[in-house]
Amino acid sequence: MTVSADRHQATVLPPPRLRQSIRKNVFRWFGHHKRDLPWRRRSGEGYAQWIAEVMLQQTQVETVIPYYERFMKRFPNVEALAAASDDEVLQNWQGLGYYRRAVNLHRAAKRLVAAGATVPGTVEELLALPGIGPYTAGAIASIAFNRRAAAVDGNIARILSRLFSITDDITRPESRRRLWTLARCLLPATRCGDFNQALMDLGATVCLPRKPRCHACPLQHDCEARRAGDPMSLPRKAKRRPVPEIRHVVAVVKRDNAYLMVKRPPGGLWSGLWEFPNEQYSAKRKKPGTLRRLINRFALDASPQAQAKGTLSRRLTHRLMHFDTYLVSIPPGHGPASKGRHLRWVTEAGLGTLPMSAAFRKILALANNTVQQ
Ligand code: SF4
């Protein structure tokens, strides 16, 4: 039965019998194979699910688990998170990457507590909070609040595209709409949270991107891609365009046993984290001039010694970044004074608790010749 059509594949909703078969098989499989994850032991708690789902955005489950446990211990509820300082929140996020997620969580917690509210239970209310998109809202609403809400992430998109043989590029908006329509129509009348979690587990352990384990899949008898004999060809995604390369000069400035640290402004990449003085350069703004400008900007007088230490490259989602690193040693009594909350001299021991990105921790190791390849 066709309910909508576009220039690409039409959205054909599965007939009721097929939906029933899918639900029944998915639930039966989940009963035996459900993963034991720390946030699942608190599945009725909005706050616990919210933290887990935000951490799981762009990060693997195994990586998230220790961070989640530590974060929940330090900030056991929305009030504790709202009361924390920016630095404390970032410190407890350190190493997980995509720091904007922590900044948004903190903003949302402060907003909720100021309004005397707690984590809301509907998709619409959740979407109004910073850092929550349709997938996260659907996951929290269904798992913590038992709402009839779909949640389509990369894993679930892969299962659906194979199950229903969606051959269009799944990154296109019309394909995304189609996947969401299919996900909604598969939802059972009750236990939607379990159903969504079962699909998440199936995508993570059985319907794998490169080697789908169709022989172990509860959907094998209903799956069109398996029937066609080539599930690995799906989902189709347009080739990603090459990302721009961005180059920086970084001055790891050392005086006695302390480093000069600057805090990034709010918004943008690594918002609110601490780093070594650095400046972008390009074909027009050449590297030697950039290092000189950096030295002048931070008043690093008395002819500092700058030693080239090599280049660290980091691939982020939308860019490839290169950091040409210099260790700049200045004599005692020189250099700028610590200034408010944005410029500080920090001892080697103090760096351990300062919120910094993983890239700048590597840069420190590079400057001190302790980097491990
Ligand atoms: Fe994925 Fe194979 Fe299951 Fe189809 S049968 S959903 S391709 S694991």
Side-chain angles (χ1 to χ4, degrees):
M1 182 188 4
T2 303
V3 293
S4 68
D6 51 38
R7 287 180 294 111
H8 303 272
Q9 280 180 292
T11 301
V12 178
L13 295 186
R17 252 196 30 213
L18 178 54
R19 294 181 214 179
Q20 283 304 345
S21 161
I22 291 170
R23 289 170 193 147
K24 191 180 81 195
N25 290 328
V26 164
F27 275 132
R28 190 182 295 151
W29 178 86
F30 192 53
H32 296 290
H33 300 280
K34 179 180 181 177
R35 289 180 294 175
D36 178 29
L37 302 170
W39 45 92
R40 289 193 175 166
R41 293 170 215 143
R42 308 175 61 166
S43 59
E45 296 174 37
Y47 177 73
Q49 291 312 306
W50 176 37
I51 301 300
E53 287 302 336
V54 171
M55 284 190 170
L56 288 164
Q57 293 166 358
Q58 289 143 319
T59 311
Q60 301 278 325
V61 166
E62 296 69 32
T63 308
V64 164
I65 291 173
Y67 286 96
Y68 172 82
E69 289 181 327
R70 199 177 63 201
F71 199 90
M72 292 299 284
K73 213 168 183 183
R74 173 61 191 85
F75 310 113
N77 50 46
V78 69
E79 290 78 15
L81 179 57
S85 70
D86 296 353
D87 276 2
E88 276 177 297
V89 175
L90 290 171
Q91 256 164 30
N92 282 276
W93 200 270
Q94 228 177 153
L96 205 49
Y98 300 99
Y99 291 87
R100 175 63 70 87
R101 296 180 295 177
V103 173
N104 281 334
L105 263 180
H106 195 204
R107 270 176 61 209
K110 286 196 273 194
R111 192 193 288 178
L112 287 170
V113 169
T118 185
V119 179
T122 67
V123 167
E124 294 70 27
E125 290 168 306
L126 286 161
L127 282 172
L129 293 175
I132 296 192
Y135 165 77
T136 307
I140 299 169
S142 63
I143 298 168
F145 299 99
N146 209 15
R147 304 276 171 163
R148 203 158 181 273
V152 181
D153 67 349
N155 278 340
I156 296 178
R158 181 169 63 254
I159 296 173
L160 296 176
S161 69
R162 289 173 174 171
L163 187 58
F164 298 111
S165 192
I166 295 171
T167 52
D168 287 337
D169 170 5
I170 65 154
T171 61
R172 297 178 64 101
E174 55 270 29
S175 303
R176 306 296 306 169
R177 280 197 293 276
R178 188 163 172 223
L179 291 167
W180 276 88
T181 303
L182 286 166
R184 279 189 205 103
C185 109
L186 288 181
L187 285 173
T190 57
R191 294 183 61 205
C192 289
D194 279 352
F195 186 73
N196 286 336
Q197 289 180 95
L199 290 182
M200 291 169 196
D201 286 6
L202 201 56
T205 61
V206 177
C207 194
L208 302 168
R210 292 207 190 90
K211 278 195 182 158
R213 299 170 53 229
C214 299
H215 61 280
C217 180
L219 301 175
Q220 57 181 288
H221 300 298
D222 294 322
C223 179
E224 291 185 28
R226 181 175 189 261
R227 218 171 286 141
D230 192 13
M232 269 202 311
S233 65
L234 296 175
R236 294 203 179 130
K237 291 181 192 169
K239 276 215 172 72
R240 284 205 278 173
R241 277 180 295 169
V243 293
E245 294 192 33
I246 297 169
R247 297 185 171 274
H248 285 78
V249 165
V250 183
V252 177
V253 183
K254 200 170 180 186
R255 186 180 70 186
D256 295 327
N257 186 32
Y259 294 89
L260 183 63
M261 303 303 293
V262 288
K263 190 174 188 175
R264 286 183 78 94
L269 180 68
W270 296 328
S271 163
L273 295 185
W274 289 85
E275 62 188 20
F276 303 108
N278 64 86
E279 194 168 311
Q280 197 174 324
Y281 74 90
S282 62
K284 272 192 199 150
R285 286 162 77 87
K286 296 261 191 286
K287 189 160 86 171
T290 308
L291 180 60
R292 172 53 43 204
R293 257 194 318 279
L294 204 49
I295 284 172
N296 291 341
R297 198 169 103 215
F298 287 92
L300 305 173
D301 50 3
S303 307
Q305 296 289 315
Q307 259 181 284
K309 291 291 189 174
T311 300
L312 178 94
S313 297
R314 267 279 181 278
R315 195 185 178 91
L316 305 181
T317 317
H318 301 298
R319 67 200 101 172
L320 177 59
M321 300 184 80
H322 305 283
F323 299 96
D324 300 328
T325 301
Y326 293 82
L327 179 62
V328 179
S329 303
I330 61 168
H334 289 268
S338 290
K339 217 186 281 166
R341 298 171 59 194
H342 301 282
L343 189 102
R344 271 189 215 163
W345 288 96
V346 183
T347 61
E348 187 113 37
L351 289 181
T353 54
L354 201 69
M356 289 168 70
S357 65
F360 274 83
R361 291 218 175 269
K362 276 263 170 166
I363 287 168
L364 174 64
L366 188 65
N368 287 330
N369 304 322
T370 55
V371 75
Q372 285 171 0
Q373 296 300 333

